[in-house]
Amino acid sequence: MTSLTEYYVSLQKIYQAKAESDCLAMEHRVKSILKRIGRDPESISRAYIKTFCKNTRKLKVCRYRSMEEEFSSPALSEVQKYFADEDSCYAMNFYVLLRAVDRLAASYSRLPGIFDRLKAAAVSVLSDMGLKGASLSEDLVTEVCRFAGAEIHPVAAFIGGVASQEVIKLVTKQFVPLNGTFIFNGIDLKSQVLAL
């Protein structure tokens, strides 16, 4: 297959003409909306609309759930999918255990150190999520009990870096923030986002 410069230039002109007609259609739409809501139709410049049209391929609608929604009514189908998936199961175990730790800390005003209490709290969290038959890794429950409230500096630095990056994305309204709960497995050095 061969190509000539003239073919490329003519194709480029076709794309430019289509982009210009799309921008003109968007400009008419914006002006009609501005007129309908009682604003000056010229309050948004043509250059601004052209820049918007040029960058629309990078737009993405992000819909998030609050932590309260996630805790009160988790997406059961997603939770079941994560428990069934071998790669996500460990992260889901961490998620359930972290919620169980929060529950224990609220009840006893201390972090867990007793296996049976944490296991019972985790079973309660699973039950609240509608997963009565699901099981957790005994080794992970033991590790969370052994860990208690220790903070390992490299892990804290990593989590702080991820959190600050997400804040910058939200403040600047650039790039796509993580959509879900970020779980970092410091044992295997793996991370995953659970959309619950």
Side-chain angles (χ1 to χ4, degrees):
M1 184 172 150
T2 59
S3 180
L4 299 172
T5 305
E6 296 82 34
Y7 295 157
Y8 176 77
V9 171
S10 64
L11 184 63
Q12 188 178 30
K13 287 179 181 176
I14 291 169
Y15 275 105
Q16 285 174 343
K18 175 65 174 148
E20 192 62 37
S21 72
D22 288 348
C23 185
L24 195 60
M26 178 62 93
E27 184 179 5
H28 289 305
R29 177 86 173 126
V30 167
K31 287 182 190 265
S32 71
I33 290 172
L34 288 172
K35 190 182 283 188
R36 189 175 22 156
I37 63 172
R39 288 188 52 197
D40 178 22
E42 302 301 321
S43 62
I44 298 177
S45 69
R46 177 165 172 60
Y48 192 82
I49 294 170
K50 192 170 188 172
T51 302
F52 176 83
C53 290
K54 191 186 294 185
N55 294 308
T56 54
R57 70 182 181 284
K58 299 174 188 173
L59 288 179
K60 182 173 181 178
V61 175
C62 299
R63 301 201 192 285
Y64 297 95
R65 293 175 46 148
S66 68
M67 286 182 68
E68 183 181 341
E69 289 173 320
E70 182 180 312
F71 281 15
S72 64
S73 61
L76 190 58
S77 62
E78 291 296 314
V79 172
Q80 289 170 339
K81 181 182 82 174
Y82 289 134
F83 265 113
D85 182 34
E86 190 176 326
D87 294 332
S88 304
C89 186
Y90 210 63
M92 198 62 209
N93 275 253
F94 265 114
Y95 176 79
V96 169
L97 285 171
L98 289 172
R99 286 199 42 195
V101 166
D102 283 345
R103 194 171 283 186
L104 280 175
S107 298
Y108 296 104
S109 299
R110 63 183 294 274
L111 293 170
I114 302 169
F115 179 88
D116 292 333
R117 279 188 187 164
L118 181 58
K119 180 78 172 174
V123 168
S124 172
V125 168
L126 284 170
S127 176
D128 290 351
M129 293 173 80
L131 298 166
K132 292 189 169 124
S135 62
L136 294 171
S137 164
E138 300 273 328
D139 292 341
L140 197 54
V141 176
T142 304
E143 191 65 25
V144 170
C145 284
R146 186 178 72 80
F147 171 74
E151 288 186 23
I152 302 168
H153 300 299
V155 174
F158 176 77
I159 296 296
V162 171
S164 62
Q165 182 178 341
E166 293 308 303
V167 167
I168 289 170
K169 288 178 188 177
L170 291 170
V171 169
T172 61
K173 295 184 174 100
Q174 293 183 359
F175 306 108
V176 180
L178 295 176
N179 187 5
T181 300
F182 179 77
I183 300 288
F184 177 67
N185 176 352
I187 298 167
D188 297 328
L189 300 177
K190 294 180 180 176
S191 61
Q192 190 166 5
V193 177
L194 303 175
L196 303 170

